[in-house]
């Protein structure tokens, strides 16, 4: 008995022919389009809402926002993966009307409009209130840690900088001692010259001194700002404990209404401890939900 065989690709037709027919009336992408089209993106703070009179046409921020919301709902966060979806995903093709922005355009849009996304979140909460999707009686508030792009080796605290400077001083003292011993041996050996070892030691000394100077500059920056940590890749990230491990990242606070498990309020902080953050998030959630007690 033969296996099931597919249709010849050269003769395969897609029916129905209209992309709109592949997106049902209850498909979430239709809500995404209606929601974004109802926003005033200029007032929300999005850049390039009004196109320039000259130059090459750019992408409408509304279309890129629709793509990001779709990615959020479907757990697609990578700009490169979002770009791939614009080429193969029927829902995204329908949502963007066959537009195919590249990953850099998508990433730049998120970077340039970071503050405006919070306004969009607020508008969504208002819409949910109007649709009576919040119970507004009970919320659950909790915090979690998310990892930043900053590696632990590029995060420094005052103690770690002080220890690094001390270690550099000790290594420099050891190298200088070896150079002094080498000079003494040359004095005792007539006609003796400096060997290759002295040159390598000088290179090591220069490298350690450069690293030590950078550490001292970072320590001075902490003294100037009053901060307790400094991160080189992601300046706002902080080292914080998560379970038994310590990573560099952020502290996320969420307040969720229990009726339909919708997020009523969120906050991102680089504060290591949750002290005070839970109460602040609960208070902000009450303001967002329009209640004085919850």
């Amino acid at each position: 008995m033969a296996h099931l065989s597919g249709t010849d690709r050269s003769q395969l037709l897609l029916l129905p022919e209209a992309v709109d027919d592949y997106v049902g009336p209850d498909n979430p992408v239709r809500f995404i389009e209606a929601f974004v089209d109802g926003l005033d993106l200029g007032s929300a703070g999005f850049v390039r809402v009004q196109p320039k009179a000259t130059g090459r046409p750019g992408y409408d921020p509304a279309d890129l926002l629709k793509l990001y919301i779709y990615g959020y709902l479907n757990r697609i966060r990578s700009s490169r993966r979002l770009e791939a979806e614009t080429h193969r995903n029927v829902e995204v093709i329908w949502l963007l009307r066959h537009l195919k922005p590249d990953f850099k355009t998508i990433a730049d849009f998120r970077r340039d409009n970071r503050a405006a996304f919070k306004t969009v979140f607020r508008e969504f909460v208002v819409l949910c209130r109007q649709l009576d999707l919040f119970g507004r009686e009970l919320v659950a508030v909790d915090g979690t840690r998310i990892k930043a792009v900053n590696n632990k080796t590029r995060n420094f605290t005052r103690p770690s900088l002080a220890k690094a400077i001390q270690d550099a001083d000790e290594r420099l003292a050891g190298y200088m001692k070896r150079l002094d011993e080498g000079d003494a041996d040359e004095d005792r050996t007539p006609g003796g010259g400096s060997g290759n070892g002295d040159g390598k030691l000088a290179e090591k000394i220069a490298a350690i001194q450069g690293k030590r100077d950078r550490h001292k500059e970072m320590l001075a920056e902490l003294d100037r700002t009053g901060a307790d940590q400094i991160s080189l890749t992601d300046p706002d990230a902080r080292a914080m404990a998560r379970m038994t491990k310590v990573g560099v990242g952020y502290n996320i606070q969420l307040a969720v209404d229990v009726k339909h498990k919708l997020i009523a309020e969120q906050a991102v902080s680089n504060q290591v401890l949750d002290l005070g953050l839970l109460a602040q998030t609960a208070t902000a959630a009450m303001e967002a939900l329009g209640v004085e007690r919850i």
Side-chain angles (χ1 to χ4, degrees):
M1 182 178 292
H3 294 102
L4 291 173
S5 59
T7 305
D8 186 354
R9 293 189 182 95
S10 62
Q11 300 179 11
L12 181 62
L13 297 176
L14 290 178
L15 296 175
E17 296 180 355
V19 176
D20 190 67
D21 293 334
Y22 286 92
V23 179
D26 296 330
N27 194 301
V29 295
R30 293 188 181 273
F31 166 78
I32 295 174
E33 180 171 70
F35 173 67
V36 175
D37 288 345
L39 297 175
D40 185 348
L41 298 186
S43 300
F46 284 90
V47 299
R48 302 183 182 91
V49 174
Q50 295 298 327
K52 295 182 179 179
T54 60
R56 185 174 182 269
Y59 288 99
D60 188 339
D63 290 324
L64 296 174
L65 178 59
K66 292 174 186 177
L67 178 61
Y68 259 109
I69 294 177
Y70 180 88
Y72 171 81
L73 293 177
N74 292 274
R75 301 182 181 181
I76 305 173
R77 301 178 181 178
S78 165
S79 298
R80 292 182 183 271
R81 287 194 58 196
L82 285 174
E83 178 189 2
E85 295 302 308
T86 64
H87 291 265
R88 67 189 182 193
N89 190 316
V90 174
E91 292 179 338
V92 176
I93 292 173
W94 179 93
L95 187 61
L96 298 188
R97 305 178 311 283
H98 290 270
L99 293 175
K100 296 177 176 60
D102 60 72
F103 73 93
K104 189 175 186 306
T105 300
I106 298 171
D108 289 345
F109 171 76
R110 177 173 56 186
R111 181 197 63 198
D112 297 339
N113 298 282
R114 185 175 303 175
F117 278 98
K118 190 161 188 175
T119 304
V120 174
F121 176 79
R122 291 285 186 183
E123 292 292 334
F124 180 74
V125 172
V126 171
L127 177 61
C128 290
R129 282 178 53 188
Q130 295 172 349
L131 297 176
D132 196 27
L133 296 178
F134 288 119
R136 302 198 296 168
E137 295 178 352
L138 179 66
V139 294
V141 185
D142 199 5
T144 187
R145 309 292 196 271
I146 63 170
K147 187 177 180 181
V149 295
N150 200 104
N151 193 281
K152 286 192 297 184
T153 58
R154 292 180 61 80
N155 171 269
F156 300 91
T157 62
R158 292 177 184 273
S160 66
L161 286 172
K163 187 176 186 306
I165 294 172
Q166 181 181 355
D167 292 343
D169 288 338
E170 293 175 356
R171 293 179 65 186
L172 285 173
Y175 285 143
M176 295 301 296
K177 181 179 179 181
R178 290 174 59 182
L179 286 177
D180 291 340
E181 292 173 351
D183 292 340
D185 291 341
E186 289 181 10
D187 293 339
R188 290 193 296 268
T189 307
S194 60
N196 293 331
D198 291 348
K200 292 181 179 180
L201 278 178
E203 292 178 1
K204 292 180 180 179
I205 290 173
I208 294 175
Q209 286 178 333
K211 195 171 183 179
R212 177 180 178 274
D213 292 340
R214 291 193 295 273
H215 287 158
K216 292 193 72 173
E217 290 175 0
M218 285 189 281
L219 190 58
E221 178 69 12
L222 290 180
D223 292 335
R224 185 183 66 82
T225 60
D228 57 353
Q229 296 183 31
I230 187 169
S231 298
L232 301 182
T233 305
D234 192 344
D236 294 328
R238 294 291 180 268
M240 52 186 66
R242 181 179 182 181
M243 302 300 288
T244 59
K245 297 181 180 179
V246 176
V248 181
Y250 295 92
N251 191 339
I252 308 299
Q253 304 294 317
L254 294 175
V256 180
D257 186 270
V258 300
K259 183 177 180 180
H260 291 296
K261 311 301 185 292
L262 291 173
I263 298 174
E265 181 61 33
Q266 53 81 30
V268 181
S269 171
N270 58 11
Q271 186 173 323
V272 177
L273 299 176
D274 288 339
L275 298 178
L277 294 179
L278 297 177
Q280 293 175 15
T281 306
T283 301
M286 288 190 289
E287 295 176 358
L289 296 176
V291 295
E292 296 181 358
R293 182 173 179 176
I294 202 165

